[in-house]
Amino acid sequence: MKIDLTGRTALVTGSTRGIGRAIAGTLADCGARVAVVGRDLEKARIAAASIGGGAQGFACDISDTAQVNALVESVETAFGSIDILVNNAGLTRDNILLRLKDDDWDTVIDANLRGAFATIRAATRGMMKRRWGRIINISSVVGLVGNKGQANYAASKAGLIGLTKSVAKEFASRNILANVIAPGYIVTEMTQAMTPEAQAAMSSQIPLERLGDPRDVANVVAFLASEHAGYITGQVIVVDGGLVM
Ligand SMILES: NC(=O)c1ccc[n+]([C@@H]2O[C@H](COP(=O)([O-])OP(=O)(O)OC[C@H]3O[C@@H](n4cnc5c(N)ncnc54)[C@H](O)[C@@H]3O)[C@@H](O)[C@H]2O)c1
């Protein structure tokens, strides 16, 4: 089975580094033209240049709806369409619940959840007209099982699952498919910030006995974006080495 995304266009949020960068690179390797999106235009342009295949860099803070609407318009103008939307951008503001400030809550929900809602609302207009679309939202196993010190993050990631299932039902008749990927512990700057002891403790809980690689997630995104996944919608695919089962 070969994944061929030739002729497709993809917008990947938060794709200047980490999992998003791997997703953008893999989609481009499969033939898609990719909009690399970061808050910093220069970094997005550098990442796009290193990805190649006609990739282009765009700046957007996804927690700002006006910027999201402008982003979708710019990408559609540059590429002609957005066929594949990957909501990957995300952040954490961890603390135990009693110390979480309203601002910690709002910052995480606004970026991780409202940002995804805003990109979907803007990008589905064109997808509906063309009667083809793939939406892939990057949640987390934390959205399935919760985590001490991450009530805001877990709520945002669980919210993405409800959002995706609703979108899958609303847009199925237009041939727009929406799915969630819930990664476990993946080696990126987000997890590298943890102490080696914490990382070793994590690995010991994982049946496959290793942290994930960003490509483990990117490969599933490419599959879900492809024609091979044409009968899959509203699902949560867990990519975690067996941590949650
Ligand atoms: N690394 C993991 O173990 C892991 C596990 C489960 C889920 N995830 C999720 O995968 C996604 C990518 O994570 P990562 O590990 O690559 O993290 P990362 O911090 O390396 O990358 C996240 C990217 O999102 C961008 N971003 C954050 N807020 C933004 C905003 N308001 N507007 C635009 N861009 C914004 C950041 O600038 C960054 O480029 C996130 O949604 C994260 O929650 C990661």
Side-chain angles (χ1 to χ4, degrees):
M1 183 180 80
K2 187 176 181 303
I3 293 179
D4 185 5
L5 301 176
T6 308
R8 299 283 181 213
T9 54
L11 187 164
V12 185
T13 64
S15 47
T16 55
R17 68 179 203 196
I19 295 172
R21 170 67 180 73
I23 292 169
T26 300
L27 294 180
D29 289 346
C30 294
R33 191 164 179 214
V34 182
V36 176
V37 183
R39 277 172 293 191
D40 180 327
L41 181 60
E42 197 48 36
K43 283 187 187 159
R45 284 187 172 150
I46 291 168
S50 73
I51 286 167
Q56 240 174 273
F58 297 85
C60 179
D61 179 339
I62 46 141
S63 58
D64 180 333
T65 299
Q67 287 191 37
V68 169
N69 291 339
L71 167 74
V72 167
E73 209 179 311
S74 307
V75 176
E76 287 181 336
T77 302
F79 289 5
S81 67
I82 297 168
D83 304 316
I84 301 159
L85 169 65
V86 185
N87 282 307
N88 164 80
L91 47 79
T92 54
R93 288 280 182 283
D94 297 351
N95 216 332
I96 56 166
L97 190 124
L98 292 177
R99 290 207 186 117
L100 269 185
K101 302 202 167 34
D102 285 0
D103 186 53
D104 299 324
W105 179 268
D106 291 344
T107 302
V108 169
I109 299 290
D110 287 356
N112 298 7
L113 187 54
R114 190 158 52 76
F117 155 65
T119 58
I120 292 168
R121 186 177 52 188
T124 44
R125 291 201 178 95
M127 289 176 179
M128 281 200 295
K129 280 191 203 131
R130 290 184 301 281
R131 293 193 166 263
W132 200 98
R134 294 293 163 88
I135 297 165
I136 299 149
N137 294 324
I138 308 299
S139 174
S140 166
V141 290
V142 166
L144 294 172
V145 297
N147 202 16
K148 286 184 206 165
Q150 289 199 308
N152 50 355
Y153 182 73
S156 74
K157 294 301 188 179
L160 272 180
I161 294 172
L163 169 67
T164 309
K165 291 184 178 184
S166 304
V167 168
K169 287 184 175 175
E170 269 190 49
F171 291 94
S173 64
R174 308 298 181 105
N175 194 31
I176 299 170
L177 280 49
N179 291 289
V180 169
I181 297 176
Y185 296 117
I186 309 295
V187 180
T188 65
E189 286 178 43
M190 209 181 241
T191 40
Q192 289 303 99
M194 304 170 91
T195 62
E197 294 76 32
Q199 290 184 40
M202 273 188 322
S203 295
S204 69
Q205 299 164 31
I206 301 169
L208 289 180
E209 294 179 354
R210 66 169 177 90
L211 302 194
D213 184 281
R215 282 169 300 186
D216 292 323
V217 178
N219 290 337
V220 182
V221 173
F223 168 67
L224 288 174
S226 75
E227 293 301 337
H228 302 296
Y231 201 51
I232 302 175
T233 195
Q235 301 306 308
V236 180
I237 316 285
V238 180
V239 181
D240 70 345
L243 178 65
V244 171
M245 62 168 97

